[in-house]
Each structure stands twice: as C-alpha cells, then as structure tokens.
Amino acid sequence: MQMKREDFEILNERVYGKELVYLDNAATTQKPREVLDAMTYAYTHFNSNIHRGVHHLSQIATRNHEEARQKVAQYINTESPDEIVFTKGTTDSINMLAFSVGELLVREGDEVLVSAVEHHSNIVPWQMMCERKGARLRVIPLREDMTLDMEALDKLLNEKTRIVSVAHVSNVLGTVNPVGEIVRKAHEKGVAVCIDAAQSAAHMRVDVRELDCDFMAFSAHKMYGPTGLGVLYGKREWLEKLPPAEGGGEMIEHVSFEKTTYNTLPYKFEAGTPDFIGSYVFGKALDYIERIGRAEIEKEESELTAYAEQRLKEVPGVKIYAAGQRKAGVISFNVEGIHPYDIGMLLDRQGVAVRTGHHCAEPLINELGVPGTVRISFGLYNNKEDVDKFVEALEKSLHILTGV
Ligand code: PLP
C-alpha cells in the first residue's frame, strides 16, 4: 500500500516546515489524484443539469449520475440501484430517514433505540422526531469492556420499539459493533434497523444483503470522495412506503395546486438538483477503493491499528479506550493529567494532524468521564512510519508538558 501515497499529493504538504502526518481520516479522508481529476473533467466536459434535458450534455451527465448510483449499489450489494438515494451526507441521510420514519411509523409512547456510542448525527435527528411525536429515545448501554451490552438490547427491544439505529463503527472508540446480530435480534421482534456506516464504508466490506439491514447511511468525503454527498440506502419495500422528507422539483410525478403525486424510486427522495458532479466523482473514488480491494484495506488498517496500540502502550501515562477490542482504524486515548487539547496543539506544531475533543459524541465522552480524547484515525495511505513519527511527536509533546 506504500506506493498509494503517491496518489495523494496533499501528503507532501509541509506543516510548520514539518512533513505532514495525517491521522484525522475519521473526520475526512484525502483525495487521490484521479478523484481530483474527475472533478475537473466533469466540469470541463459534461456539466449540465440532469434528467430534464434532451440535449447531449444533459444526457451524458444523466448517464454518469445513474452509473454512479449503480457503482454505489454494487459497492454495498443492494438488490437494485433504485434503493440508493443520494443525499448531502450521513447527517442528511439520517435526518431524512428520521423524519420519514416518524411520519409513517411513530406514535405517542413509541420507542426508538440508539446505542451509547453514537455520533450526534445518529442521536439528534431521532431525538427531534421523538419530541415531535411524543416518543421516547432509548439507549443500548456499554459493558465494562466498552462493547455494546447485547443482553440489555434483548430487554430494550419491545412491542413499542419502531426502529433501531446504530453505528457500524464507533467514531470515538473505533470498535466494530455487532450490527449483524443487532439486525437479527431486532427483526425477530419485527423492528427495522438503520446502520450508520460513516466509519465503516471505506474500511471494510459492507454488504447490506448479508447484514439484512433495512437502512444504511454514509458520506462520500470519508471515502476518498467529494464533500457534500452521501447515501441513504433503504430496502425497496421500505422506500416505497415511506413518505418523502423534502418536496420540490424532481421528486414529483404530477403537481397541481390541489394535489401532488410522487416520482418513482429513488427520485421520490431526491428533491431539487442533485449533486451530479459529486456522484460522478464519488464513483471514481469507489473505483479507486475497489482497485486496492477492501479486504486488503481492512487487513492493512487492522495491522496498523494493532501496531499503533502497541506503540502507544509503551508511552507512560497513556490510557487507550477499548484497548484490545476489534477496531476499524480509530484509536482514542488520553494521557494522565494532561488535557487532550494541549496534546493536539503540540502534535500539530510537529506536523501531526489528530483530532481532540468530544468528536461529536458527547454522551459517550461524558460516560468516559473525561473532557475529551485524542483520536488518531487511519486511511489507506497511512503506514508504520506515520505511527512512529506520531509516537515520537507525542513523546516530545509530553516532555514539553511535564518536563519529564
Ligand atoms: N456518523 C458517524 C459515526 C460519524 O463518524 C460521522 C462523522 O464523523 C457522521 C455520522 C456524520 O457524517 P457527516 O458529517 O459526513 O454527515
């Protein structure tokens, strides 16, 4: 994978005169040259609004957009490309879904289940919907070892539960949640499941038919693709039944002042001009990932994560959260007596980009009982050298902060 670094020109940037070590991939990934070139190509050769045009450019743009939808469908193995809705990102996908599910399914006294490790994007939209509907948001707790308490899930699932929405991979702990098992348990009770795949989709094989989940959400920018684009997958039978969350052009069949009828899938959920340049560019990012191979990416990233945990353990005072658990390229830690922000600042001065704070998962951070964590997260271009440089920079930072 070492040679793949050459595809990412930004990795040659210097930060305060130092070589960049980019370890903030859970926030967003860098883009390879061919993805950047695809953006220029699209605007240079076929920029034209889709679906409505009879003219040549519009037809090419439409074809490219729909081909990208097919690539996404293949990537997560849906039954049909009609089950892929393009959105603005994971957050947008979950907001849309929470609204639609709320309208279709949720009544006063009903319950929605999320887990203790969720990103705010997979809490707040459900909470807003629950407030509107007089429903209750309930939480699958963590066990001592920071994995989800599956026995508690058995008790939480009941006749009032309408949907379960859980992260595939925690963006704070990096832990891989047993989403297949969660789907199985929920389906036994007739409850639908949404998987927030924001942190898994670029790092492992994600197969919606194997998982049998009802919905899935993810963001292109975390997958070496463009910002402002995401995906909401839904099983056809669900998407047929759910009302659209947004109205406008494109999502309609006929409009009169008295009544509007909706378009077929997936257009019913895509109001307005979609990001047809973004979808084309995202298709190129998926090609790039597929060329390397997700099995290869998962293997390399899991080895790198294990190596980083081992190196971090050698640093005095370091506490790694969910240490030793199966992780997908994310590690959170703290150093005794030191604020994570101070570590982040000093690492930055040495060219090492990490994230500090609550990582948009305040309930989890509160449960850990800390003001925040330092988080490192890997992409397919990271290697052991990056980890070594990071550990060296961390040791220097701690020396500055403690004088030891
Ligand atoms: N869910 C998880 C697990 C995340 O890590 C993130 C982003 O970090 C999101 C949702 C939100 O993604 P976006 O900001 O691209 O909508």
Side-chain angles (χ1 to χ4, degrees):
M1 217 109 87
Q2 176 75 19
M3 57 180 293
K4 293 291 164 218
R5 288 174 78 87
E6 295 155 16
D7 300 333
F8 296 82
E9 219 170 299
I10 198 169
L11 298 178
N12 299 326
E13 285 295 298
R14 296 212 150 229
V15 175
Y16 306 112
K18 308 278 182 344
E19 281 174 20
L20 170 66
V21 178
Y22 187 76
L23 298 177
D24 194 19
N25 293 282
T28 201
T29 52
Q30 302 303 344
K31 324 299 171 198
R33 166 56 52 201
E34 64 193 66
V35 166
L36 300 175
D37 287 348
M39 176 87 69
T40 308
Y41 181 87
Y43 277 117
T44 313
H45 293 287
F46 65 80
N47 177 42
S48 176
N49 209 335
I50 58 167
H51 291 147
R52 291 159 233 173
V54 289
H55 63 81
H56 181 70
L57 287 192
S58 176
Q59 284 178 22
I60 296 175
T62 304
R63 196 184 62 222
N64 286 339
H65 184 62
E66 294 309 326
E67 272 177 18
R69 196 189 304 279
Q70 267 172 23
K71 281 185 191 176
V72 178
Q74 267 168 22
Y75 189 84
I76 59 168
N77 193 28
T78 67
E79 247 169 51
S80 151
D82 298 349
E83 296 172 315
I84 297 295
V85 176
F86 282 119
T87 66
K88 290 185 288 200
T90 310
T91 307
D92 190 36
S93 300
I94 299 176
N95 273 281
M96 279 176 52
L97 182 65
F99 180 87
S100 299
V101 164
E103 291 307 292
L104 182 74
L105 288 183
V106 182
R107 303 287 169 266
E108 198 173 336
D110 285 347
E111 295 180 356
V112 170
L113 261 184
V114 295
S115 90
V117 302
E118 300 310 321
H119 187 281
H120 297 161
S121 296
N122 199 29
I123 301 174
V124 186
W126 299 110
Q127 208 166 39
M128 288 162 69
M129 182 270 277
C130 284
E131 272 173 25
R132 245 184 5 254
K133 296 287 168 182
R136 184 175 170 207
L137 187 72
R138 304 197 70 187
V139 184
I140 310 165
L142 282 182
R143 288 187 285 231
E144 195 75 350
D145 65 359
M146 292 193 192
T147 60
L148 292 188
D149 187 340
M150 298 299 278
E151 280 161 27
L153 171 65
D154 291 334
K155 295 195 188 98
L156 283 163
L157 278 167
N158 65 51
E159 69 288 348
K160 292 187 212 151
T161 317
R162 292 292 160 262
I163 189 163
V164 180
S165 192
V166 283
H168 196 174
V169 169
S170 160
N171 69 306
V172 176
L173 303 173
T175 42
V176 185
N177 289 325
V179 282
E181 199 185 334
I182 293 172
V183 171
R184 219 171 36 251
K185 283 175 186 276
H187 283 183
E188 276 168 19
K189 301 268 169 75
V191 177
V193 178
C194 169
I195 297 177
D196 172 352
Q199 293 299 344
S200 59
H203 303 280
M204 58 180 70
R205 204 171 64 88
V206 173
D207 182 327
V208 290
R209 277 195 272 179
E210 195 176 295
L211 290 169
D212 197 27
C213 58
D214 303 277
F215 304 100
M216 181 174 276
F218 47 94
S219 302
H221 73 96
K222 294 183 194 289
M223 304 169 69
Y224 313 101
T227 51
L229 185 85
V231 169
L232 173 64
Y233 156 79
K235 276 185 184 162
R236 177 184 286 281
E237 54 267 36
W238 274 116
L239 294 184
E240 298 278 11
K241 280 189 285 194
L242 286 171
E246 293 179 346
E250 207 65 44
M251 53 77 72
I252 53 91
E253 181 191 36
H254 294 294
V255 178
S256 74
F257 287 116
E258 288 71 40
K259 174 141 186 78
T260 292
T261 52
Y262 301 137
N263 205 339
T264 51
L265 293 181
Y267 312 111
K268 179 172 104 175
F269 294 100
E270 293 181 353
T273 300
D275 185 359
F276 55 86
I277 301 285
S279 61
Y280 171 77
V281 175
F282 185 36
K284 299 294 176 196
L286 294 182
D287 290 345
Y288 187 86
I289 295 175
E290 296 281 35
R291 221 169 41 243
I292 297 171
R294 272 179 282 173
E296 173 74 6
I297 291 171
E298 187 175 353
K299 182 173 158 284
E300 295 235 352
E301 288 182 355
S302 103
E303 279 169 17
L304 198 57
T305 309
Y307 177 70
E309 276 210 2
Q310 179 219 318
R311 290 286 336 260
L312 263 174
K313 275 187 202 148
E314 292 161 11
V315 181
V318 165
K319 177 182 165 68
I320 300 168
Y321 298 97
Q325 298 292 347
R326 183 183 164 212
K327 289 184 181 177
V330 176
I331 299 174
S332 258
F333 68 95
N334 265 311
V335 182
E336 218 182 318
I338 297 174
H339 199 283
Y341 182 75
D342 293 338
I343 294 174
M345 287 280 289
L346 287 172
L347 287 175
D348 176 52
R349 286 278 154 183
Q350 297 169 82
V352 182
V354 301
R355 188 142 298 235
T356 64
H358 58 51
H359 316 296
C360 294
E362 255 189 86
L364 173 59
I365 293 296
N366 289 341
E367 191 167 334
L368 298 180
V370 290
T373 72
V374 184
R375 181 184 75 184
I376 56 170
S377 52
F378 301 120
L380 53 81
Y381 31 70
N382 290 120
N383 56 24
K384 285 188 174 172
E385 213 181 310
D386 289 332
V387 173
D388 292 340
K389 282 184 192 156
F390 151 69
V391 172
E392 195 183 315
L394 176 66
E395 281 170 334
K396 248 192 220 161
S397 309
L398 296 181
H399 177 67
I400 294 166
L401 289 165
T402 63
V404 182

